[in-house]
């Protein structure tokens, strides 16, 4: 059963009730990510995610974490380019206590000493990712492909932007983007809907709405080649990027099935590149987002085989457009993705993410059965229409290696 209401302060509450469940999952979704940051504040959304676990005016960081543990909660948070999510799951009898604790997270104290301590943690995290070759590759690839578009910014920020960040600027960003009308509270599993709504209404009564607008600047993809010469590596890695489909595009599910055929496990790219030993990795994926999406390819090969591997990568995609894909390939990809969705969405905790993110992007409710059926309903003409659009013909290319 799907439930929905909006509090007077603009906070949207959505729920999927399953009285047979033994657990309940809930969380806040903020429509705030790295694409919403001014360049000088790059990384503030991810930093904020850390700071919300550092305590409120009434609870310290240690008390918050101990209370989560006392409930036996599975809990965490994540930040992306477009959304920050605070989520947890407990046995159903602990639902009111978990809800209170999650709401308390969104009342951060912003203590100066906590801010400076956590800044050092994040600076270390940035350096750790800079030591990882694949992270360096995709940071460079996204920056090149997106150009000045805010989606090209690193979610973690840079050593400079995070190092210069002041707590006052973070507080201003928090109040601007964590307004109740820019949040969704989602709950799945076994819960009392009236209790959820009344408790949230009481505990967020002082939250005030504000004008929150996400910028959607024009985007012109940069189709060019960039080389990262790193002599210490013994592999050539390649990141390829191209425009894709937005989360609200009716063809996005067909696109997901298509890229599974082309670049998933046991795909055309696998059999053309990995199976014969031309590459040790070859993949293609699709990411849909707010008003825009993108294709992301990856190749890893020995330096002497890299050029040939890249040629075969493009050849596989060109042949798919000119010759199409078979009904057998389509059925295999549909069945695989449908099963993955069924397995992933059957528990309240996993349903939380699908319910919340689907609603955040599309303002639609999609049950597990509907999500699975939508995949199984994808047809060959739908997939061919995507191939005919020429979306797989031009890619931005970033190479890394000796």
């Amino acid at each position: 059963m799907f439930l929905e209401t909006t509090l007077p302060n603009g906070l949207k509450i959505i729920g999927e009730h399953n009285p047979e469940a033994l657990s309940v999952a809930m969380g806040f979704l903020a429509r705030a990510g790295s694409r919403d940051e001014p360049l000088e504040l790059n990384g503030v959304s991810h930093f904020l995610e850390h700071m919300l676990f550092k305590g409120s005016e009434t609870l310290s960081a240690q008390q918050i974490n101990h209370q989560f543990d006392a409930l036996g909660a599975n809990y965490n948070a994540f930040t992306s380019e477009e959304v920050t999510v605070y989520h947890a799951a407990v046995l159903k009898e602990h639902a009111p206590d978990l809800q209170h604790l999650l709401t308390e997270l969104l009342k951060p104290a912003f203590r100066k000493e906590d801010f400076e301590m956590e800044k050092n943690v994040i600076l270390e995290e940035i350096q750790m990712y800079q030591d990882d070759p694949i992270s360096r590759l995709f940071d460079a690839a996204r920056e090149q492909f997106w150009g000045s578009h805010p989606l090209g910014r690193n979610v973690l920020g840079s050593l400079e932007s995070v190092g210069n960040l002041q707590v006052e600027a973070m507080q201003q960003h928090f109040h601007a983007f964590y307004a109740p009308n820019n949040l969704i509270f989602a709950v799945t599993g076994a819960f009392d809907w009236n209790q959820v709504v009344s408790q949230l209404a009481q505990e967020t009564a002082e939250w005030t709405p504000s004008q929150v607008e996400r910028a959607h600047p024009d985007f012109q993809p940069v189709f060019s080649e960039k080389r990262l010469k790193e002599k210490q590596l013994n592999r050539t890695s390649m990141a390829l990027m191209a425009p894709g489909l937005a989360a609200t595009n009716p063809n996005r599910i067909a696109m997901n099935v298509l890229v599974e055929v082309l670049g998933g496990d046991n795909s055309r790219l696998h059999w053309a590149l990995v199976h014969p030993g031309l590459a040790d990795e070859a993949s293609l994926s699709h990411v849909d987002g707010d008003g825009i999406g993108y294709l992301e390819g990856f190749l890893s090969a020995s330096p002497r085989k890299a050029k040939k591997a890249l040629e075969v990568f493009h050849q596989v995609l060109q042949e798919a457009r000119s010759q199409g894909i078979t009904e057998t390939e389509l059925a295999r990809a549909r069945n695989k993705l449908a099963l993955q969705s069924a397995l992933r969405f059957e528990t309240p905790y996993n349903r939380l993410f699908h319910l919340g993110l689907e609603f955040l992007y599309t303002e639609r409710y999609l049950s597990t059965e509907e999500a699975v059926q939508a995949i199984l309903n994808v047809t060959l003409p739908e997939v061919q229409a995507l191939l005919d659009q020429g979306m797989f013909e031009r890619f931005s290319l970033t190479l890394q290696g000796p």
Side-chain angles (χ1 to χ4, degrees), residues 220-377:
Q220 293 296 326
V222 179
F223 294 110
S224 60
E225 181 179 305
K226 184 176 184 177
R227 295 171 183 257
L228 307 176
K229 191 168 185 180
E230 301 190 11
K231 295 181 179 180
Q232 77 278 14
L233 302 178
N234 57 21
R235 310 295 295 168
T236 295
S237 297
M238 292 165 271
L240 301 96
M241 299 192 68
L245 304 179
T248 53
N249 192 302
N251 297 315
R252 66 175 177 130
I253 296 175
M255 174 64 85
N256 293 337
V257 174
L258 176 57
V259 296
E260 177 65 28
V261 172
L262 299 176
D265 296 334
N266 203 24
S267 63
R268 285 195 177 192
L269 286 174
H270 172 87
W271 287 103
L273 287 158
V274 179
H275 180 70
L278 266 178
D280 54 89
E281 285 189 57
S283 64
L284 182 68
S285 58
H286 177 253
V287 180
D288 51 56
D290 186 1
I292 197 168
Y294 60 93
L295 294 160
E296 194 170 79
F298 176 69
L299 272 174
S300 173
S302 70
R304 63 186 179 85
K305 295 180 180 178
K307 182 178 179 181
K308 179 63 176 176
L310 184 61
E311 291 173 354
V312 172
F313 183 96
H314 286 296
Q315 181 183 339
V316 167
L317 301 186
Q318 289 165 2
E319 287 177 353
R321 180 180 182 183
S322 60
Q323 301 172 16
I325 66 170
T326 67
E327 188 66 59
T328 300
E329 288 178 306
L330 180 65
R332 186 167 60 235
R334 282 190 312 229
N335 290 336
K336 184 174 182 179
L337 291 181
L339 176 61
Q340 288 176 355
S341 295
L343 294 175
R344 192 165 65 244
F345 298 155
E346 279 187 329
T347 65
Y349 205 9
N350 288 329
R351 277 299 298 162
L352 179 75
F353 301 107
H354 184 259
L355 172 74
L357 292 171
E358 179 73 25
F359 196 89
L360 182 135
Y361 281 112
T362 68
E363 296 188 340
R364 286 190 309 137
Y365 168 67
L366 203 63
S367 69
T368 299
E369 185 176 357
E370 289 169 328
V372 168
Q373 198 57 50
I375 295 169
L376 295 175
N377 287 343

Side-chain angles (χ1 to χ4, degrees), residues 188-223:
T188 57
F191 57 86
D192 181 331
W193 177 250
N194 291 332
Q195 177 271 318
V196 168
V197 174
S198 62
Q199 182 177 334
L200 267 177
Q202 180 181 351
E203 295 186 348
T204 67
E206 296 181 357
W207 295 6
T208 56
S210 68
Q211 185 94 17
V212 187
E213 290 187 11
R214 168 170 285 164
H216 291 86
D218 291 336
F219 170 60
Q220 293 296 326
V222 179
F223 294 110

Side-chain angles (χ1 to χ4, degrees), residues 24-236:
V24 60
M26 52 184 66
F28 282 99
L29 297 89
R31 193 177 281 99
S34 55
R35 72 175 294 175
D36 303 300
E37 303 163 350
L39 188 58
E40 66 274 13
L41 297 184
N42 185 206
V44 67
S45 300
H46 171 256
F47 199 155
L48 254 176
E49 175 208 318
H50 283 234
M51 283 300 296
L52 264 60
F53 285 92
K54 288 301 176 182
S56 64
E57 294 294 346
T58 58
L59 293 174
S60 68
Q62 188 177 46
Q63 287 172 323
I64 280 182
N65 285 277
H66 280 180
Q67 288 193 24
F68 273 119
D69 287 341
L71 296 175
N74 249 341
Y75 68 101
N76 213 326
F78 66 85
T79 305
S80 71
E81 291 85 356
E82 299 187 330
V83 62
T84 306
V85 181
Y86 303 88
H87 54 88
V90 292
L91 294 174
K92 60 183 179 181
E93 53 264 32
H94 299 310
D97 292 331
L98 178 63
Q99 183 176 328
H100 170 73
L101 202 50
L102 284 168
T103 308
E104 194 70 17
L105 278 185
L106 270 70
K107 302 176 182 180
F110 292 115
R111 299 179 185 91
K112 182 75 172 178
E113 60 272 22
D114 290 333
F115 177 84
E116 294 301 332
M117 183 186 302
E118 203 60 28
K119 178 185 285 191
N120 291 327
V121 171
I122 292 173
L123 291 174
E124 287 292 328
E125 186 178 358
I126 292 171
Q127 291 176 318
M128 179 186 72
Y129 279 100
Q130 288 179 345
D131 285 341
D132 176 56
I134 301 303
S135 294
R136 290 197 301 272
L137 171 66
F138 277 98
D139 283 348
R142 290 167 185 148
E143 182 179 337
Q144 175 192 0
F145 174 70
W146 292 107
S148 61
H149 193 282
L151 278 172
R153 293 174 193 161
N154 192 308
V155 172
L156 296 181
S158 67
L159 292 174
E160 180 182 9
S161 64
V162 173
N164 291 333
L165 187 62
Q166 300 299 312
V167 69
E168 294 80 11
M170 174 181 281
Q171 286 176 298
Q172 292 175 5
H173 191 83
F174 172 80
H175 291 302
F177 284 92
Y178 280 66
N181 53 307
N182 203 43
L183 299 173
I184 293 173
F185 183 83
V187 55
T188 57
F191 57 86
D192 181 331
W193 177 250
N194 291 332
Q195 177 271 318
V196 168
V197 174
S198 62
Q199 182 177 334
L200 267 177
Q202 180 181 351
E203 295 186 348
T204 67
E206 296 181 357
W207 295 6
T208 56
S210 68
Q211 185 94 17
V212 187
E213 290 187 11
R214 168 170 285 164
H216 291 86
D218 291 336
F219 170 60
Q220 293 296 326
V222 179
F223 294 110
S224 60
E225 181 179 305
K226 184 176 184 177
R227 295 171 183 257
L228 307 176
K229 191 168 185 180
E230 301 190 11
K231 295 181 179 180
Q232 77 278 14
L233 302 178
N234 57 21
R235 310 295 295 168
T236 295

